[in-house]
Amino acid sequence: MAFTPHANAAVDRYRALLDVSESISLNRDLPALFEDLAQRLRGVAPFDYLNLVLHVPEPNTMRLRVLTSSRPSDPSFLETPVDETPSGLVWQTQQPLVIHDVERERRYPKIMQLLLEHGVCSCCVLPLTTAQRRLGAMGLGSAAVAAFDGADLEFLAHVARQVAVAVENVLNYEAAQCYQKEVARQRDR
């Protein structure tokens, strides 16, 4: 039985979701997880740039934790006030945000400039939320204008839900490691 191109694309996306699950089970640190995700998703989603931005409750900022780009990257910021970043809006509203043309976007000038420097012409930002908490957002950028459509968003929303669980697991693991070090330090005292 021959599949239509649309059916083949759907099968590829289901395989990619399984690959995401496998990546999640193999990676315990965020940079390795996002690098692996970028490799596994590139064949089924139109992006050249992938990032993870987490909410920091005190002082209510969004912190860039991971940036995977086809261009060399040295981001000019690490933390930005929630109201000054697309990821902050997504974190607050829990709704995906699509920017079809970064060059024409007037909100968030600092972030748009950073995206343009990375060759990003359009982007989408998805909430990373688990049953326990709102973590932040995952952003994807493309060198093409209007690269993200409704079908991409639906698929990427499934990916983001899985990634949120993985990110929460990594954060819990990091917190447990810090706690163990603190206990050991106090014990040695």
Side-chain angles (χ1 to χ4, degrees):
M1 176 179 193
F3 287 114
T4 65
H6 179 69
N8 285 336
V11 168
D12 289 344
R13 287 191 166 184
Y14 285 122
R15 283 190 185 126
L17 284 175
L18 291 173
D19 285 346
V20 167
S21 295
E22 182 178 349
S23 177
I24 288 167
S25 68
L26 295 174
N27 292 291
R28 278 209 163 155
D29 94 358
L30 294 175
L33 171 65
F34 271 71
E35 190 62 43
D36 193 28
L37 285 173
Q39 296 303 316
R40 293 173 187 256
L41 291 174
R42 278 212 168 91
V44 294
F47 71 93
D48 303 293
Y49 173 100
L50 176 67
N51 74 15
L52 167 66
V53 181
L54 297 177
H55 179 254
V56 180
E58 198 51 50
N60 196 29
T61 58
M62 300 303 289
R63 178 181 293 159
L64 179 66
R65 279 287 301 260
V66 179
L67 173 63
T68 302
S69 175
S70 55
R71 294 184 179 204
S73 57
D74 181 24
S76 58
F77 75 98
L78 289 178
E79 280 192 40
T80 305
V82 169
D83 295 338
E84 295 177 17
T85 178
S87 58
L89 176 66
V90 168
W91 175 79
Q92 288 175 320
T93 65
Q94 293 295 290
Q95 296 296 312
L97 172 66
V98 176
I99 298 173
H100 294 291
D101 189 345
V102 168
E103 201 165 347
R104 293 178 186 250
E105 179 62 45
R106 297 296 167 238
R107 299 173 293 177
Y108 320 113
K110 183 177 171 183
I111 304 302
M112 294 305 112
Q113 183 60 40
L114 176 70
L115 292 174
L116 287 170
E117 288 170 9
H118 281 275
V120 173
C121 295
S122 63
C123 65
C124 76
V125 185
L126 302 140
L128 292 179
T129 304
T130 67
Q132 278 66 46
R133 60 185 168 158
R134 297 176 180 190
L135 299 165
M138 178 176 80
L140 295 97
S142 173
V145 173
F148 301 96
D149 64 18
D152 292 324
L153 278 182
E154 185 178 334
F155 168 70
L156 292 171
H158 287 292
V159 170
R161 285 191 287 274
Q162 289 185 30
V163 169
V165 172
V167 168
E168 184 172 58
N169 287 342
V170 169
L171 294 175
N172 289 339
Y173 178 75
E174 288 175 354
Q177 294 293 89
C178 287
Y179 180 72
Q180 285 179 343
K181 287 178 185 175
E182 179 62 30
V183 167
R185 187 173 47 215
Q186 289 195 9
R187 180 196 64 219
D188 294 343
R189 222 183 269 168

